[in-house]
Amino acid sequence: MTNFVNIIVIICIIAFAFAMLGMLYRILKGPTLHDRVITLDAFGVTLMGMIGLVSMALDTSYLLVVIMLIGMIGFIATIGFAKFLEKGVIIENDRDNNS
Amino acid sequence: MKSTLKRAGYSKVQRQMNDVFIHFTSKVIFLIILLFSINLFMAGHYTPGGGFVGGLLAASAIILLLIAFDYETVRKMIPVNFHFIITLGLTLAIVAPTLLFFFGTPFFTHQHTYINVPVFGEVAVHTAMLFDAGVFLTVSGTALMIVTLVGGTDE
């Protein structure tokens, strides 16, 4: 990798780190639960981008599996939080009988 | 059961709620996550992955179905008790290294060979995969049992 791309990647990693600091403030200080849930989802997406940049800096392709793993786990977590906010229960026992 | 829509004034929201989007999407993404977990399980020898992560991802695929549908539907879809999955995995994980004593090597010394498969060509066959399959079954069964015990409503 050329020197120019290396400098750009390092600048992008620092920018993502500052973005994650802002999201951490919103998670700790968020007024409602909805803000925290949306920020947690954005935090996962930013983490995926940061791991992609680190795999560019290290010049390896082994970390791409980690990105897909974080994406799937974050998707399931967002679905669970959304169902908790909408219905108040995450795993229903029998949804037809309105338990 | 305080939901957001109920507080806004909709009284019959539990009956009328139609979850067709999450039902259809979870049916598609369940297969994608399960395929990726098998890929992680197979790739765990030289690259990141292995039985533990694969088992957790397979469990999370079934957790997605538990969130989208309900407990009774998933139990009808997978009519296996989770205790049986844990027992099968632990048995596989203890039997596979013990049988390797017949090769005259120390404990956990695995054997491997190469065979020719018609489509894929030369494929490595490793006995560590049997042990890893045991880890896969144990981890997925344990994660599913914990989630259904903690997150489920008691009857």
Side-chain angles (χ1 to χ4, degrees):
Chain A
M1 193 158 48
T2 61
N3 201 11
F4 178 69
V5 179
N6 218 342
I7 291 170
I8 294 292
V9 163
I10 287 172
I11 289 173
C12 289
I13 286 175
I14 291 171
F16 272 24
F18 277 110
M20 286 165 87
L21 270 182
M23 287 172 191
L24 202 62
Y25 172 76
R26 183 52 64 199
I27 287 174
L28 292 176
K29 189 86 179 178
T32 60
L33 190 57
H34 304 73
D35 296 329
R36 291 193 174 100
V37 170
I38 290 176
T39 315
L40 214 59
D41 195 22
F43 199 85
V45 174
T46 317
L47 194 65
M48 285 160 63
M50 199 163 177
I51 292 173
L53 285 172
V54 168
S55 92
M56 273 179 74
L58 294 179
D59 205 3
T60 175
S61 67
Y62 286 156
L63 291 178
L64 299 182
V65 181
V66 182
I67 297 175
M68 197 155 173
L69 197 65
I70 291 176
M72 284 173 175
I73 300 295
F75 172 73
I76 292 172
T78 310
I79 293 288
F81 268 120
K83 189 169 178 186
F84 175 69
L85 288 173
E86 191 72 33
K87 287 193 173 183
V89 58
I90 295 180
I91 298 176
E92 291 165 293
N93 213 354
D94 199 356
R95 75 194 139 96
D96 292 329
N97 292 331
N98 201 6
S99 67
Chain B
M1 211 177 291
K2 275 187 184 174
S3 73
T4 313
L5 286 177
K6 236 179 199 177
R7 257 181 282 143
Y10 298 95
S11 59
K12 290 167 69 178
V13 68
Q14 290 283 338
R15 289 278 185 184
Q16 289 175 351
M17 189 165 291
N18 199 357
D19 300 332
V20 63
F21 293 118
I22 182 64
H23 286 176
F24 183 75
T25 312
S26 70
K27 275 180 214 161
V28 177
I29 291 181
F30 168 72
L31 290 176
I32 296 174
I33 295 180
L34 212 59
L35 202 65
F36 185 57
S37 97
I38 293 172
N39 179 25
L40 270 182
F41 171 67
M42 292 291 180
H45 205 65
Y46 296 121
T47 54
F52 195 86
V53 189
L56 275 182
L57 206 59
S60 67
I62 300 176
I63 287 168
L64 177 65
L65 283 185
L66 274 174
I67 290 173
F69 296 93
D70 52 355
Y71 183 62
E72 293 294 326
T73 311
V74 174
R75 209 173 56 181
K76 236 178 284 178
M77 259 159 43
I78 308 165
V80 182
N81 200 358
F82 298 143
H83 299 85
F84 180 71
I85 297 178
I86 298 175
T87 313
L88 190 67
L90 285 177
T91 309
L92 208 57
I94 194 63
V95 163
T98 310
L99 283 182
L100 290 171
F101 275 136
F102 288 115
F103 289 96
T105 53
F107 196 53
F108 266 118
T109 307
H110 290 289
Q111 308 288 326
H112 65 278
T113 182
Y114 294 94
I115 60 170
N116 273 316
V117 179
V119 180
F120 297 105
E122 202 179 47
V123 172
V125 176
H126 212 284
T127 54
M129 200 175 155
L130 289 174
F131 177 76
D132 229 14
V135 174
F136 184 94
L137 289 176
T138 308
V139 169
S140 57
T142 309
L144 276 177
M145 201 180 70
I146 288 173
V147 165
T148 51
L149 279 182
V150 172
T153 58
D154 9 279
E155 275 298 309

